[in-house]
Amino acid sequence: MTITVIGCGRWGTFIAYYLDTLGHTITLYGRKGSETFQRLLETRNNDLVTLSDRICLTDELSAVEEADIVLISIGSQGLRSLCQESPLQALRDKTIVLCMKGLEIGTGCRLTEVVAQSLHPSNTAAVWIGPGHVQEFVAGVPNCMVIDCHNEAVKHRLVEAFSGPLIRFYYGSDLIGNEVGAAAKNVIGIAAGMLDGYHLSSLKGALMSRGTREISRLICAMGGNELSAYGLCHLGDYEATVFSPYSHNRRFGEAFVKGEPFEALAEGYYTVKALVLLAETYQVELPICRAVYDVLYEKAAPQTALRTLLDRSLKQEF
């Protein structure tokens, strides 16, 4: 397959590297003037992977025109703006694979909804989600991930084309649940980091259990399958998000309560705002997400927010 990957961050660059090893024809797009992309042009290395000479590097977004499949790996809040660019507006009958996890703040839209609203309806949007860090993949540590899409034929074609010894893909069966669950796990990751910052890591078990439960309620209210929250999109991604030293969201949460700077992108910071909007829209109680939101946006004291969670009324677990 001929594939264009948009986004030269650590995940987008790894995807280009990985798909190249499977024999696909890969073009990796990066923004002109980007320090990250400039380094790739000069060295073909980003300290995590070294790109083969087979991979074409370009700062021309028109590279999407010749691709069978367009993969996008950028910050989720930039997706709608990207879709307004002329080369993407001109796309017809393409498969757009979103290799990112998030919800649009302000609208609460899932990312496939953003694509559907922004691009020509002849295009088909899919998602590539699940656990795994680039640092572990390049060390040869395999993992399991999910591809989901409303179009069954496209979904099967992608799973067959992208599967290899390093990544075992599963066929997703609930696009709503998989997108919401994948986005929400980053919020739980921030909460986990806050616990680490206060040396309360033993509470992570409860966080994982109750976090999954509240996200399952939201998924169900939105028309998805609540069991999706217990799959690879959410609970199955907790080790990589709640415990891993590579997790940006966990590290952001820990740095936040310690008052330390943290410059890397933590998608959960934006996602929690969208989740609070969805909770209000669908009348679903999301106590953990609300606590994280109050700390990040309402200047609530983290320890006070934690105490509020622990002081909630007594009830049945299920």
Side-chain angles (χ1 to χ4, degrees), residues 164-231:
L166 202 56
I167 303 178
R168 172 187 172 87
F169 282 101
Y170 283 85
Y171 302 102
S173 58
D174 175 25
L175 193 56
I176 291 174
N178 278 319
E179 287 194 83
V180 173
K185 65 94 187 177
N186 286 329
V187 177
I188 304 302
I190 291 176
M194 291 178 175
L195 292 177
D196 287 337
Y198 285 127
H199 306 289
L200 295 170
S201 302
S202 61
L203 276 172
K204 284 186 181 181
L207 174 70
M208 292 164 65
S209 175
R210 300 314 303 167
T212 305
R213 188 72 190 101
E214 71 178 60
I215 297 306
S216 73
R217 291 196 297 265
L218 177 61
I219 289 172
C220 185
M222 293 178 67
N225 184 345
E226 64 179 343
L227 291 179
S228 293
Y230 298 88

Side-chain angles (χ1 to χ4, degrees), residues 246-281:
Y246 304 125
S247 169
H248 281 182
N249 291 281
R250 190 204 63 76
R251 288 166 56 201
F252 168 76
E254 183 174 4
F256 187 91
V257 298
K258 289 182 174 180
E260 298 173 352
F262 186 78
E263 301 299 329
L265 172 66
E267 280 283 7
Y269 178 83
Y270 304 102
T271 299
V272 73
K273 195 169 186 178
L275 284 173
V276 167
L277 174 62
L278 291 174
E280 294 169 352
T281 301

